[in-house]
Amino acid sequence: MTTEVTPRPRTARESATSERRTMDDLLRRVEHRLSTFLAAERARWAEVDERTVVAIDALSDLVVSGGKRVRPTFCLTGYLAAGGDPDDPGIVAAAAGLEMLHVSALIHDDVLDDSDQRRGRPTVHTVFSALHERHGWQGETRRFAEGVAILVGDLALAYSAELVSQASPALLAEWHRLRSEVLVGQYLDIAAAAEFSVDPRLSRLIAVIKSGRYTIHRPLVMGANAAGRPDLAAAFAEYGEALGEAFQLRDDLLDAFGDSAQTGKPTGLDFNGHKMTLLLGWAMQQDDKIRSLVTEPGHTPDEVRARLLDTDVPENVERHITGLVERGCEAITDAPVPETWRAELKELALKVAYRNK
């Protein structure tokens, strides 16, 4: 007679380790999906004309150059926390599509911000500016380079839609909202920089729409919806809104006081572009001199930084970030997901809010 042995329940640590391995495996599959997708596109277009692969190569270089993969991570976390099947290739395609959308936004951002570096490398328009000058081609170098960068960004946008179309239809409504929000938010960012009016309410709206929702909130809900759990949308929205704002505020601080060797891009771009960030908005409410340091010719980002440090705004921003992290973590305390995933979401909250790049 055989005695049946009841399996020992997994400890919390064992569950967390197993789920971390699942997440790591899915992120590896996302990387593989991105690289194989771009390689297939390159091979297809290479048969048409060798010049057609130049744009794809520029896009591929940026995709493989690193990046935190924040949006795929939150999409996959929402999916797994909601009980999704990790073997479903659709969620990998959706996460890859989110990263491709992010790359599109980065390329366009670099043109809008006139940035010459991204992830420690020359930006797309900088590369093509050098190519135009080196060959002595016709036309204006800047116009050519920025035109190519816009098209490469648009190509990434088209590819993002193609990838996400391979995922569950249940996440498409959230995907469509995400794409329109990031573009509307980008417009508001440009308009507010031109107006340069002190309006913290508008600055916060831009931070949430342009960055927060598309970085954390919508990817989480996309993942949950793909797993058939739309009931998680409210908790994930509250968590995502709070952490998305914290994410953008950290971006503001890194632009003002960060180390470009760590961030991989120049600092002070918000000052140069007259971006009406929450950081600057709050500072200008306390110190009128900051406005002239940002807008009048002849002043450097170092002067703005020094003046900002004379106010208590950086410390206030840090305190606000801490409050946002607490609010986000509180939002998922009673969310109907396994405890290990609540712990993972809390850990992710700390990572995005207190990152150094």
Side-chain angles (χ1 to χ4, degrees):
M1 180 176 181
T2 2
T3 306
E4 210 172 282
V5 179
T6 306
R8 176 179 63 81
R10 290 193 304 180
T11 65
R13 176 174 289 185
E14 287 170 338
S15 294
T17 301
S18 171
E19 284 157 2
R20 172 44 53 197
R21 285 177 184 152
T22 301
M23 174 64 82
D24 289 345
D25 177 62
L26 280 169
L27 285 170
R28 281 192 291 270
R29 286 165 58 193
V30 169
E31 295 299 323
H32 183 257
R33 187 76 188 90
L34 286 166
S35 60
T36 54
F37 178 91
L38 289 167
E41 280 296 293
R42 189 187 197 285
R44 181 168 74 90
W45 282 105
E47 294 179 359
V48 177
D49 188 291
E50 62 180 13
R51 283 167 293 209
T52 59
V53 303
V54 174
I56 298 170
D57 286 344
L59 174 56
S60 299
D61 286 346
L62 184 54
V63 169
V64 303
S65 66
K68 297 177 286 294
R69 305 304 193 237
V70 174
R71 292 144 199 87
T73 296
F74 276 106
C75 178
L76 296 171
T77 299
Y79 180 75
L80 294 174
D85 176 8
D87 293 326
D88 179 9
I91 196 62
V92 173
L98 281 165
E99 185 62 24
M100 195 69 82
L101 174 68
H102 179 52
V103 170
S104 169
L106 293 182
I107 295 169
H108 288 162
D109 265 354
D110 289 337
V111 172
L112 294 169
D113 295 342
D114 196 21
S115 176
D116 61 3
Q117 195 177 53
R118 170 69 65 179
R119 295 176 179 172
R121 300 182 179 195
T123 52
V124 173
H125 67 276
T126 303
V127 169
F128 281 93
S129 177
L131 183 70
H132 188 277
E133 288 184 348
R134 188 164 63 249
H135 289 286
W137 288 340
Q138 298 297 309
E140 185 185 344
T141 295
R142 182 186 178 107
R143 191 172 180 83
F144 168 81
E146 291 183 350
V148 172
I150 289 168
L151 293 172
V152 173
D154 286 348
L155 184 63
L157 184 63
Y159 285 161
S160 73
E162 186 174 342
L163 285 161
V164 173
S165 71
Q166 299 161 20
S168 165
L171 58 71
L172 291 180
E174 204 69 18
W175 163 249
H176 294 317
R177 290 189 194 100
L178 180 157
R179 285 196 303 168
S180 58
E181 278 173 347
V182 71
L183 294 171
V184 171
Q186 188 68 277
Y187 163 74
L188 287 176
D189 193 33
I190 295 170
E195 295 167 15
F196 207 64
S197 60
V198 181
D199 184 353
R201 182 203 61 82
L202 178 59
S203 296
R204 182 182 177 277
L205 179 66
I206 293 168
V208 170
I209 293 179
K210 178 194 169 191
S211 181
R213 286 182 186 164
Y214 117 97
T215 299
I216 299 172
H217 168 192
R218 300 292 183 203
L220 268 175
V221 176
M222 281 174 64
N225 287 354
R229 291 289 305 278
D231 59 295
L232 291 173
F236 282 173
E238 191 174 347
Y239 169 93
E241 292 276 313
L243 266 298
E245 185 177 348
F247 180 91
Q248 184 56 49
L249 285 171
R250 178 60 57 195
D251 246 17
D252 296 347
L253 286 170
L254 287 171
D255 183 82
F257 305 107
D259 180 354
S260 59
Q262 286 185 316
T263 62
K265 58 183 180 180
T267 56
L269 289 175
D270 289 343
F271 305 151
N272 295 336
H274 304 163
K275 294 293 182 70
M276 185 45 70
T277 63
L278 267 175
L279 174 70
L280 275 180
W282 287 339
M284 286 193 298
Q285 284 184 318
Q286 294 187 27
D287 185 349
D288 289 337
K289 177 66 175 172
I290 289 174
R291 171 185 285 275
S292 60
L293 288 176
V294 173
T295 58
E296 292 175 5
H299 297 293
T300 66
D302 284 341
E303 290 178 271
V304 183
R305 289 187 193 98
R307 193 78 182 195
L308 282 171
L309 290 171
D310 288 339
T311 73
D312 57 0
V313 168
E315 291 80 6
N316 286 342
V317 170
E318 289 288 1
R319 281 193 290 272
H320 190 57
I321 288 173
T322 298
L324 289 166
V325 170
E326 290 171 357
R327 195 180 97 203
C329 291
E330 180 66 25
I332 55 161
T333 298
D334 298 320
V337 298
E339 175 57 36
T340 48
W341 285 110
R342 281 199 292 272
E344 179 66 17
L345 283 164
K346 289 176 181 178
E347 187 179 332
L348 283 172
L350 296 174
K351 284 181 180 176
V352 300
Y354 298 106
R355 70 195 191 281
N356 61 3
K357 60 181 181 178

